[in-house]
Amino acid sequence: MSIPPDIDNAVDELADLFHLLGDPTRLRIVLACLAQPTAVGDIAGALNLSSSLVSHHLRLLRAARIVKAERQGKQVFYAAADAHISSLLSNMFEHIAEPTTGLDA
């Protein structure tokens, strides 16, 4: 791991990213976008949320570069911004699936 030269700014950005992903609704929205680009209406339907709420969360996630948007005709499709996002989530799911040993090693 390389430490960025402007560590204070990097720590603030990383904390913001984890704060955004710490919301269960936003995390579910990001997970819905991992497999393939997905339209707002499809995300809303799959998660039983309103399209306006999904759009609001996607706006925040897009500003943080967690998801990216691509317009196709009249619809906008959202996907994970890059492989870093899917790798981060995959690693975290692997981490929580690990058996606990009860030791603080």
Side-chain angles (χ1 to χ4, degrees):
M1 179 176 94
S2 63
I3 304 292
D6 184 5
I7 188 73
D8 291 334
N9 187 47
V11 166
D12 289 343
E13 283 188 44
L14 192 56
D16 287 344
L17 180 125
F18 281 119
H19 176 76
L20 284 169
L21 291 175
D23 179 273
T25 300
R26 281 193 288 265
L27 183 55
R28 285 184 179 94
I29 290 169
V30 174
L31 293 172
C33 298
L34 287 182
Q36 63 190 20
T38 309
V40 173
D42 293 335
I43 297 168
L47 300 178
N48 198 27
L49 300 169
S50 71
S51 291
S52 62
L53 179 62
V54 171
S55 292
H56 169 73
H57 285 302
L58 284 167
R59 203 170 17 258
L60 297 172
L61 294 165
R62 192 170 167 204
R65 299 180 313 150
I66 296 171
V67 298
K68 63 182 177 182
E70 182 180 316
R71 180 172 295 281
Q72 293 180 10
K74 291 184 177 185
Q75 284 194 308
V76 179
F77 290 83
Y78 291 87
D82 57 33
H84 296 115
I85 299 300
S86 54
S87 293
L88 170 75
L89 294 173
S90 177
N91 287 334
M92 290 294 97
F93 277 115
E94 287 177 25
H95 175 71
I96 63 171
E98 290 175 347
T100 58
T101 61
L103 301 175
D104 292 337

